[in-house]
Amino acid sequence: MPTFLAPDDGSRLAYRADGDGEPLICLPGGPSASAYLGDLGGLTVHRRLTALDLRGTGGSARPGDPDAYRCDRLVDDVEAFRAHLGLAQIDLLGHSGGVNLAVLYAVRHPERVRRLVLVGPSTRAVGVDITGEMRRDVAQLRAREAWFTEAYAALDVLLSGGDADWDAITPFLHGRWDDETRAFHAASQPDNDDAVRMYGAEGVFDPAATRAALKTCSAPVLLLVGEYDLNSPPPSTEEFADLFPHAEVVVQPGAGHYPWRDDPARFAATVADFLG
């Protein structure tokens, strides 16, 4: 994997590069290694995907200071990545928790962002509340699935403040639940507890300041979410979109939290069309 050095402590950061065309910088959620993004449903036909392994994930080094995992600190890594690629402006895609990093980057370096693609967006950086009712409404769409009864019971315990069986809830994150999806899910999970714990630690996000800054964001923004995405319900994504002056929301039918896997061609065409 190609690498470059982080600006603050010299940590070696790795990234994947695949495909043809203009670069699209991709930020994974988790924090997990970027490998789970794959080719984003064949988007490599249209763009050269440059997917960053955040600190302590995939091929990137683990820092000595746990504070280096903070999302607000990682903004400098993204800026160093842009400079390493020699790009004056970037098209930037974030998935799930990586959306928080993409948004913080856009706030700190608005002149560098040409377009933003936010997939299955986490809303922590902007303080959009995802209610239990939103999640229940999305979950009910899966009522005919064979696994629904057990999964919904576990979800109800979680939303009621109890200790949930997280494995039982997992099928809600995917448009289909089969052996291939089980293997994908297992392989895509974070394996660095410090990175997960510190990424959104206390004081990392300032939602009021971020929301205010986004009012002046001039970049076009695409927020793409799966119809079945329990993690990022479409109503919360709509509310997120309202924070930008130039944003559109696409709800992909039949898709979960990883929409490029549920209908690859549709996902790739939607994103490619937006990026032009």
Side-chain angles (χ1 to χ4, degrees), residues 4-5 14 44 94 122 147 193 199:
F4 65 101
L5 298 181
T44 47
S122 167
W147 46 261
D193 292 340
Y199 187 77

Side-chain angles (χ1 to χ4, degrees), residues 29-166:
S32 297
S34 64
Y36 81 89
L37 296 173
D39 67 354
L40 287 176
L43 193 56
T44 47
V45 173
H46 307 278
R47 303 297 292 263
R48 182 165 178 78
L49 304 186
T50 53
L52 179 63
D53 280 351
L54 305 182
R55 290 176 182 239
T57 72
S60 292
R62 297 194 176 204
D65 178 8
D67 279 348
Y69 290 121
R70 290 169 54 108
C71 186
D72 52 353
R73 291 271 298 271
L74 297 179
V75 172
D76 291 338
D77 291 353
V78 179
E79 173 62 1
F81 190 27
R82 177 204 62 78
H84 170 74
L85 295 174
L87 302 172
Q89 284 191 308
I90 59 173
D91 292 334
L92 183 61
L93 180 148
H95 172 245
S96 192
V99 166
N100 297 306
L101 179 53
V103 167
L104 293 189
Y105 180 85
V107 166
R108 197 178 302 177
H109 300 284
E111 75 286 354
R112 297 298 189 186
V113 178
R114 183 167 50 195
R115 297 179 189 86
L116 272 177
V117 180
L118 310 179
V119 181
S122 167
T123 61
R124 293 186 66 186
V126 295
V128 170
D129 186 31
I130 301 177
T131 67
E133 194 63 28
M134 287 182 190
R135 299 194 198 276
R136 286 189 172 93
D137 287 346
V138 170
Q140 287 288 350
L141 298 175
R142 316 297 296 279
R144 295 184 179 181
E145 303 276 2
W147 46 261
F148 174 80
T149 300
E150 179 183 357
Y152 192 80
L155 177 66
D156 191 55
V157 170
L158 173 66
L159 296 179
S160 300
D163 293 328
D165 179 356
W166 287 95

Side-chain angles (χ1 to χ4, degrees), residues 90-94 99 102-103 106-107 110 113-119 121 126 213-224 237-250 270-271 273-275:
I90 59 173
D91 292 334
L92 183 61
L93 180 148
V99 166
V103 167
V107 166
V113 178
R114 183 167 50 195
R115 297 179 189 86
L116 272 177
V117 180
L118 310 179
V119 181
V126 295
L214 292 181
K215 292 179 180 179
T216 62
C217 176
S218 61
V221 183
L222 171 66
L223 296 97
L224 193 157
T237 302
E238 294 277 0
E239 188 175 342
F240 197 162
D242 289 341
L243 302 178
F244 297 96
H246 312 290
E248 60 179 290
V249 175
V250 172
T270 300
V271 175
D273 182 64
F274 170 77
L275 293 174

Side-chain angles (χ1 to χ4, degrees), residues 199-214:
Y199 187 77
E202 184 177 356
V204 167
F205 301 122
D206 184 347
T210 301
R211 291 165 73 106
L214 292 181

